Amino acid sequence: MASVRVAVRVRPLNTREKQLSSKVIIHMMGNTTSIHKPSPVRGDELKDGGKTFSYDFSYDSTDRGSPTFASQERIFHDLGSDVLKAAFDGLNACVFAYGQTGSGKSHTMMGHTDDKGLIPRICEGLFCEISHRSRNDAVSFCTEVSYLEIYNERVQDLLNKGTASTDGGGLRVREHPRDGTYVENLSKHSVHKHSDMEDLIILGNANRTTASTGMNSSSSRSHAIFTIRFTQAWFDAELPHETLSKIHLVDLAGSERADATRTTGGRLKEGANINKSLVTLGSVISALADLSVGGQLTKKKKQIFIPYRDSVLTWLLKDSLGGNSITTMIATISPADVNYNETLSTLRYASRAKNIMNSPTVNEDGSVKVIRELQAEVTRLRRLLEEANQLKEVQISLGGHSLRLMGTTEESILGVYTYSQELTKELCWAILGIMCPGDNRATEHPLLHGDLMKMSLEWQTCIPDLLLDAGLRVCCQFQKSLADLVYLLHSNMDQEIVTLGEVQLLLYTSVGVCVSSSTRSEAQAQLLLTETHLGLVQEDAVFHPAPRSVTIEPRRPQFHDFTLRRRSDVRCLLVHDEDRRGAVRLDVILANVRGRGHPESVTKGATPPAHASNSSPHAEVWKLTFSCSSEAACLINHFKCLIKD
Ligand SMILES: Nc1ncnc2c1ncn2[C@@H]1O[C@H](COP(=O)(O)OP(=O)(O)OP(=O)(O)O)[C@@H](O)[C@H]1O
């Protein structure tokens, strides 16, 4: 919210006032303006305490030689530069000059060639700033100008006199649901340089209705609105931005009393219409001022009606009065005692306007805003999709235990290994159920409903990858894992086995291994059975997230403990009863080979997986738990000859 800024400017005594030996009754100090009632006794004016008003600015322009003289330059510096700032900030701005006829409105707004007013200075400042910013910023600017007058409540185009409607009733004022009031068929002129703007100002001023009144030899008989539509377009972070600022610079016609200006006939009718607009402007200002008292909205807010549509002027300036604009009112006054009543009325009018609260907001082009919002949405959705492609964290609870799997990048691989293929499948279903809810294709896939053990032993097995929603890929790594294991196995086998091709895998599965002397009880290991050897391999982890950088190869499982024994070392198998969960335990009793100096028990870690702690000192026992009886049966079958009742 921003209140309307109000400035008061007093002009020098004019010739007529001097001829009447008028006294100066206006005094300014700082931001205050005082007016003293003329006294019938000469020299007694100042004995009246007078009335003092305070405004945002009080400009004393009565005496050029005075150190406090307010020049056109100073007024532009104080008021015009804020209009330029608003324009470049994408805000609407409005400056209107209000005052008695001949009080200096046109002088302040337009001025003369050798003493330019606000409008030409704002235009000059705008192009100066555009050329400065064009050098430094990648912004494009578009400036359009229109200039109209409201004469006898009719709108005329000052830049194209021929556009008035055929019935001579002037241009129509209409209201757009989003853009607000506008004048139909009003010409808009694209301006590319300051001199173009100057030409348009000269043309418009020449077309303006003026007449000579008793108060002013060249009195503006109409309200004139000079409008600059200023658009800026640029890209920020590859997203388009566009702001539009509307700047209304308004020179109101003066209200005059018939007796003071000796107007008659047509001039009198004009006066009535001028007054109609100004009276409505006064009512609008009063109603808006009532809406806010000391910046606080009154409780009666809803009952207050703002009569914008009662005059063309207030209807067109609706946004500038209590709406979306940074608005400044300049009240111009005469210093002379003969104008006491008019001047006091102006000062009161101006004082009331101080209470109007506006709510300026940046005007973004609607379609560009939509494009930018859509682009931002696309970026957001893309990021979501990328995130969906990454496994971040999955938590699964099984029988009170929870398993936490974490990955960081799209390259992440979640390897699921358990000692039971049933448990592995259950886990995979649970994970996929979380990540791709409702997608039943995974349950049909051979990996999740076939016999994993059989598939893993088939060197030729070719299981197609399954691509699920959210970019999740289900695939098997059997061949890669087996190749690793077989190389490992081979390098630790007896020297008699010379080629890798002769290593024939008979069983490859996960088992629980009881390591009685280790802190790691119930460790998991991969069990390998070849025609010649039996091996237990422990990996460092079950899940290996790939490193963030794609240039580094994803980390492969590392094999910890590796224990290899010849099949011929197996003395017997002890088969225990299935437990409640259907798990089967087998004790593999091996010949004690310690001290034999044989490299068969090669351990990358320190501890062999099992010790014959409860059997013969010459024997070694591997206590293996198969979660699935079919896998246990597979091992038993291969050692049939060794099984004893
Ligand atoms: N601050 C000022 N310094 C010097 N001369 C001024 C000043 N203000 C006004 N004048 C002179 O006073 C005369 C009347 O001023 P101006 O035409 O600006 O009044 P106005 O308020 O626009 O009147 P109207 O409502 O009749 O159009 C002009 O000759 C103008 O040059």
Side-chain angles (χ1 to χ4, degrees), residues 9 11-12 61 100-107 112 216 218-221 251-254 332:
R9 186 183 196 190
R11 63 157 168 74
S61 300
Q100 182 189 5
T101 189
S103 59
K105 299 181 294 292
S106 301
H107 181 84
H112 308 284
N216 186 356
S218 177
S219 174
S220 314
R221 311 310 302 157
D251 181 8
L252 296 174
T332 53

Side-chain angles (χ1 to χ4, degrees), residues 26 62 83 95 180 253 256 309 366 427 432 508 528 591 604:
I26 299 296
T62 48
V83 171
V95 180
E256 58 264 355
R309 293 183 75 144
L427 270 175
L432 294 172
Y508 168 46
L528 293 114
K604 290 198 174 170

Side-chain angles (χ1 to χ4, degrees), residues 23 25 36-41 44-45 48 336-338 340-341:
K23 293 281 166 249
I25 53 163
H36 296 268
K37 196 171 179 142
S39 164
V41 183
D44 270 5
E45 290 85 1
D48 157 46
D337 53 3
V338 287
Y340 174 80
N341 287 333

Side-chain angles (χ1 to χ4, degrees), residues 82-137:
D82 276 4
V83 171
L84 291 177
K85 184 177 181 307
F88 285 95
D89 286 349
L91 299 166
N92 292 339
C94 174
V95 180
F96 68 96
Y98 176 91
Q100 182 189 5
T101 189
S103 59
K105 299 181 294 292
S106 301
H107 181 84
T108 301
M109 294 306 290
M110 203 55 83
H112 308 284
T113 326
D114 53 350
D115 197 12
K116 286 179 185 162
L118 264 181
I119 295 177
R121 283 174 195 263
I122 286 172
C123 294
E124 197 178 340
L126 187 74
F127 278 96
C128 189
E129 187 65 21
I130 287 174
S131 83
H132 173 70
R133 293 194 185 207
S134 302
R135 277 197 296 273
N136 301 320
D137 307 329

Side-chain angles (χ1 to χ4, degrees), residues 175-217:
E175 187 136 12
H176 186 277
R178 192 192 58 217
D179 301 335
T181 34
Y182 68 99
V183 178
E184 196 174 53
N185 295 329
L186 180 69
S187 63
K188 290 193 198 91
H189 302 258
S190 240
V191 182
H192 303 287
K193 52 185 192 299
H194 177 226
S195 60
D196 293 348
M197 196 91 120
E198 281 182 319
D199 292 346
L200 290 170
I201 291 172
I202 291 167
L203 173 70
N205 288 345
N207 284 333
R208 209 177 157 192
T209 307
T210 56
S212 178
T213 67
M215 285 286 288
N216 186 356
S217 59

